[in-house]
Amino acid sequence: MSLLSLREIRRPGRLAAEILAVAIAVLVAFPLYWMVLSALKPAAEIQSTDPRPWTLAPTLDAFRRVFEQQDFGRYFLNSLIVAGTVVIASALIAFLAATAVTRFRFRFRTTLLIMFLVAQMVPVEALTIPLFFLMRDAGQLNTLGSLILPHLAFSLPFAIWMLRGFVKAVPEALEEQAAIDGASRTRFLWQILFPLVFPGLAATSVFSFISTWNDFLFAKSFLISDTSQSTLPMALLVFFKPDENDWGGIMAASTVMTVPVLVFFVLVQRRLVSGLGGAVKD
């Protein structure tokens, strides 16, 4: 069979795969489109019984109501502090832990790795009440620490397990060569190993950032009375009213919440692709 015939056979399959990929992309992106559209629609169109996937009279009134909300800037800053702290702390701790369980042989190492997997299987909802009492006894209720510590604990097992593959992929001969050249273990760790596994850190940081940034359960459970410590998901409650919900404000606030996630994803997308590729390879 000629090369031309093989190409003719493969083209229909490739075309079908491309059409399927586009259809899935449209299906995934449509809720985001509808969210932004609803944020730009006038109130009359949002409440209309005949919804349309477009608007001829876009308005920024919903976004104006969002930014005019009291302490909205503080909520945004609190979310940045919590998400940024979790991402940085989990990346550093996971890097050191992954290096330890990969490079060193110690007792119960396999048991520890299995515990990391088991920790991922426990639903967050089942631990909310025990964590509430734990935070209460530690005096962390109504503080940003009550959000940082649980998210850090939940993000570490996945990050450690994923980074383990990247650390394992670095040849031990490289460390031996660095030691021959006079590099200490600390220098090898931060100047050689850390840059090599940075794509994996970028991949794990995306998952940590998204889960922390969009958290509502912990914020609602642990921030009881001090509204100054609230995060952006809690700010959405302002637009839920007993008589009539402000859907335009809800969609506008949700759009504003999505922007930092998109910006963070764009900043690390190149590292993310290589990081996920390395994870699959391992």
Side-chain angles (χ1 to χ4, degrees):
M1 185 179 293
S2 63
L3 182 60
L4 181 60
S5 300
L6 288 175
R7 289 180 177 177
E8 290 177 353
I9 294 175
R10 291 174 180 175
R11 281 179 182 176
R14 183 175 180 180
L15 180 61
E18 291 176 351
I19 293 176
L20 180 61
V22 172
I24 294 176
V26 172
L27 184 63
V28 172
F30 183 76
L32 296 176
Y33 166 76
W34 195 263
M35 176 183 69
V36 177
L37 177 66
S38 300
L40 296 174
K41 278 185 176 182
E45 292 188 19
I46 296 178
Q47 299 172 0
S48 175
T49 57
D50 184 23
R52 298 178 180 180
W54 67 81
T55 179
L56 300 178
T59 177
L60 296 177
D61 288 342
F63 289 96
R64 190 176 298 110
R65 293 196 300 273
V66 169
F67 289 109
E68 287 177 353
Q69 287 296 325
Q70 185 178 6
D71 294 333
F72 182 84
R74 179 185 292 274
Y75 297 158
F76 189 88
L77 180 61
N78 289 341
S79 291
L80 284 180
I81 293 174
V82 173
T85 304
V86 170
V87 168
I88 295 174
S90 64
L92 294 177
I93 297 174
F95 169 66
L96 296 175
T99 303
V101 299
T102 304
R103 295 294 185 182
F104 300 102
R105 300 291 184 268
F106 53 89
R107 196 176 182 184
F108 301 121
R109 185 176 69 118
T110 304
T111 304
L112 184 62
L113 292 173
I114 294 175
M115 290 178 60
F116 289 154
L117 286 179
V118 173
Q120 293 295 110
M121 302 177 186
V122 181
V124 177
E125 294 78 8
L127 297 177
T128 302
I129 296 178
L131 284 174
F132 173 83
F133 289 111
L134 181 63
M135 293 300 164
R136 184 197 63 182
D137 296 339
Q140 292 296 315
L141 290 180
N142 295 315
T143 65
L144 296 182
S146 63
L147 304 181
I148 294 174
L149 294 176
H151 281 292
L152 183 60
F154 279 104
S155 62
L156 278 177
F158 171 78
I160 293 172
W161 188 266
M162 188 170 183
L163 287 177
R164 176 176 169 268
F166 289 90
V167 176
K168 189 176 181 180
V170 178
E172 294 186 6
L174 187 62
E175 183 176 359
E176 296 174 358
Q177 184 62 43
I180 294 175
D181 292 339
S184 62
R185 176 166 289 175
T186 302
R187 185 176 181 183
F188 169 79
L189 187 68
W190 295 109
Q191 296 186 6
I192 300 177
L193 185 61
F194 185 82
L196 291 176
V197 302
F198 188 77
L201 290 171
T204 57
S205 66
V206 170
F207 295 103
S208 300
F209 184 85
I210 292 176
S211 62
T212 305
W213 183 266
N214 294 328
D215 170 65
F216 178 80
L217 179 61
F218 288 159
K220 182 65 175 177
S221 302
F222 302 152
L223 303 178
I224 303 174
S225 58
D226 191 357
T227 58
S228 64
Q229 303 297 315
S230 297
T231 53
L232 275 183
M234 293 290 291
L236 290 175
L237 295 178
V238 177
F239 301 99
F240 287 91
K241 302 178 181 179
D243 50 350
E244 184 178 357
N245 296 328
D246 184 1
W247 291 111
I250 295 172
M251 295 297 105
S254 300
T255 302
V256 173
M257 284 183 56
T258 306
V259 172
V261 178
L262 295 177
V263 172
F264 184 79
F265 182 81
V266 170
L267 292 176
V268 301
Q269 62 174 338
R270 293 184 180 179
R271 297 287 187 176
L272 176 63
V273 173
S274 59
L276 293 178
V280 173
K281 183 184 295 184
D282 179 66

